[in-house]
């Protein structure tokens, strides 16, 4: 049985006091929820203080970085090393989020290098993949997603995906309020699993494939029941304790 996963990607939102209040409420409301793996992804600036808060409350909620550099260390002003995320207590790191790919121009190759470094530093990569609206319109959805996954598998080998998560996030659904239909989500998740099974059947069966893009308690029910959906990656709704915890409880039900 694959464990359910819920990630809260806070992106570049909030300041310390508000985020502390948010996390405190989330910790309280989820303290009896053991069946879902929950992680929050604050900005690097707040990782340490949020990590300290989780520790002080003996919370099972994990900490993750939103990104790291594709180099190990050195003269890369403004960047964060993968080892720094590990050092500060991160268990996860988001890689290849659509905002990294499309706003900051990260290529499949760069993301694959980051994935290799994350594994070297014992971080669990949450590899984000997904097509733009234009790619969907011209029928390239599956090819685009396969290519995003192949870039990583070619760099690190299929075994490196044994401890990783894939987040399918159609770019046009992120932050837009538009959500993919349940049918389309199941189709893509099953396609991803089948594609991985060509390289390794067990890894394909065991990997958590989560959905992201405008998830809210009101629309998640239809998505979370799908057989190949193992959880969610949440942006906007993760900034409201009520919504985020409702999503976690939905996953647990
Ligand atoms: P959203 O973001 O939930 O605000 O659409 C999802 C994401 O960026 O992971």
């Amino acid at each position: 049985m694959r464990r359910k996963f819920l990630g809260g990607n806070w992106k570049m939102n909030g300041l310390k006091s508000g985020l502390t209040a948010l996390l405190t409420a989330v910790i309280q409301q989820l303290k009896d929820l053991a069946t879902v793996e929950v992680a929050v992804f604050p900005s690097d600036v707040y990782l340490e203080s949020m990590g300290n808060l989780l520790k002080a409350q003996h919370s099972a909620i994990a900490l993750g970085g939103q990104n790291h550099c594709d180099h190990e260390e050195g003269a890369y002003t403004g960047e964060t090393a993968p080892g720094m995320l590990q050092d500060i207590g991160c268990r996860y790191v988001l890689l290849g989020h659509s905002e990294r790919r499309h706003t900051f121009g990260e290529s499949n190759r760069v993301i694959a290098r980051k994935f290799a470094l994350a594994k070297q530093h014992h971080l669990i990569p949450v590899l984000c993949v997904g097509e733009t609206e234009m790619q969907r319109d011209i029928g390239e959805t599956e090819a685009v997603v396969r290519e995003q996954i192949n870039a990583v598998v070619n760099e690190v080998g299929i075994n490196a995906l044994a401890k990783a998560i894939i987040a399918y996030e159609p770019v046009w659904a992120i932050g837009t309020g538009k959500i993919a239909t349940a049918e389309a989500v199941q189709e893509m998740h099953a396609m991803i699993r089948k594609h991985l099974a060509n390289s390794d059947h067990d890894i394909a069966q065991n990997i958590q494939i989560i959905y992201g893009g405008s998830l809210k308690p009101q629309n998640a029910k239809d998505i979370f029941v799908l057989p190949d959906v193992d959880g969610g990656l949440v942006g906007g709704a993760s900034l409201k304790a009520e919504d985020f915890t409702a999503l976690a409880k939905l996953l647990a039900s």
Side-chain angles (χ1 to χ4, degrees):
M1 258 283 272
R2 297 184 294 265
R3 195 149 186 242
K4 304 283 186 201
F5 177 94
L6 187 71
N9 176 8
W10 294 352
K11 308 191 181 183
M12 200 175 73
N13 291 300
L15 297 175
K16 192 170 172 182
S17 61
L19 296 173
T20 302
L22 168 67
L23 187 56
T24 304
V26 169
I27 291 170
Q28 279 308 312
Q29 289 170 39
L30 295 185
K31 63 177 184 305
D32 299 321
L33 192 94
T35 50
V36 179
E37 206 173 326
V38 178
V40 290
F41 297 82
S43 146
D44 289 357
V45 174
Y46 299 128
L47 279 173
E48 187 161 25
S49 59
M50 297 304 142
N52 287 340
L53 178 55
L54 290 168
K55 258 186 252 152
Q57 301 283 322
H58 307 288
S59 175
I61 296 172
L63 195 64
Q66 296 178 9
N67 179 37
H68 64 56
C69 188
D70 61 332
H71 295 276
E72 184 101 48
E73 63 175 348
Y76 301 99
T77 301
E79 291 286 317
T80 298
M84 292 173 183
L85 293 184
Q86 185 201 22
D87 186 40
I88 213 145
C90 286
R91 181 170 163 79
Y92 297 97
V93 63
L94 301 180
L95 294 179
H97 188 278
S98 93
E99 285 141 27
R100 299 302 317 172
R101 291 180 189 269
H102 299 288
T103 310
F104 297 97
E106 288 186 12
S107 65
N108 279 339
R109 205 162 147 54
V110 164
I111 294 157
R113 272 210 307 273
K114 291 185 180 197
F115 193 104
L117 282 172
K119 295 295 294 188
Q120 276 172 37
H121 290 275
H122 309 290
L123 295 163
I124 301 176
V126 180
L127 174 67
C128 305
V129 298
E131 80 287 0
T132 62
E133 189 151 39
M134 196 183 84
Q135 288 164 335
R136 174 158 284 262
D137 287 347
I138 59 174
E140 284 187 353
T141 299
E142 294 195 3
V144 165
V145 169
R146 271 200 296 266
E147 211 175 298
Q148 290 169 338
I149 292 172
N150 289 349
V152 169
V153 174
N154 292 342
E155 176 82 20
V156 296
I158 187 71
N159 289 335
L161 275 79
K163 221 171 171 201
I165 295 175
I166 293 181
Y168 170 59
E169 301 201 291
V171 178
W172 48 269
I174 296 178
T176 57
K178 285 194 259 177
I179 186 165
T181 63
E183 197 184 8
V185 173
Q186 171 54 27
E187 201 175 286
M188 284 306 291
H189 283 229
M191 187 285 289
I192 291 169
R193 211 177 291 288
K194 193 157 165 249
H195 182 60
L196 293 172
N198 292 332
S199 303
D200 189 299
H201 178 267
D202 289 351
I203 287 173
Q205 281 313 306
N206 293 327
I207 196 167
Q208 292 156 305
I209 306 177
I210 63 175
Y211 170 82
S214 294
L215 273 176
K216 294 183 180 52
Q218 299 85 321
N219 61 24
K221 234 177 268 161
D222 295 345
I223 303 290
F224 286 169
V225 295
L226 298 168
D228 283 297
V229 172
D230 305 309
L233 184 57
V234 189
S238 73
L239 296 169
K240 293 186 198 125
E242 284 300 317
D243 286 354
F244 188 64
T245 57
L247 285 165
K249 288 171 189 167
L250 261 182
L251 260 182
S253 63

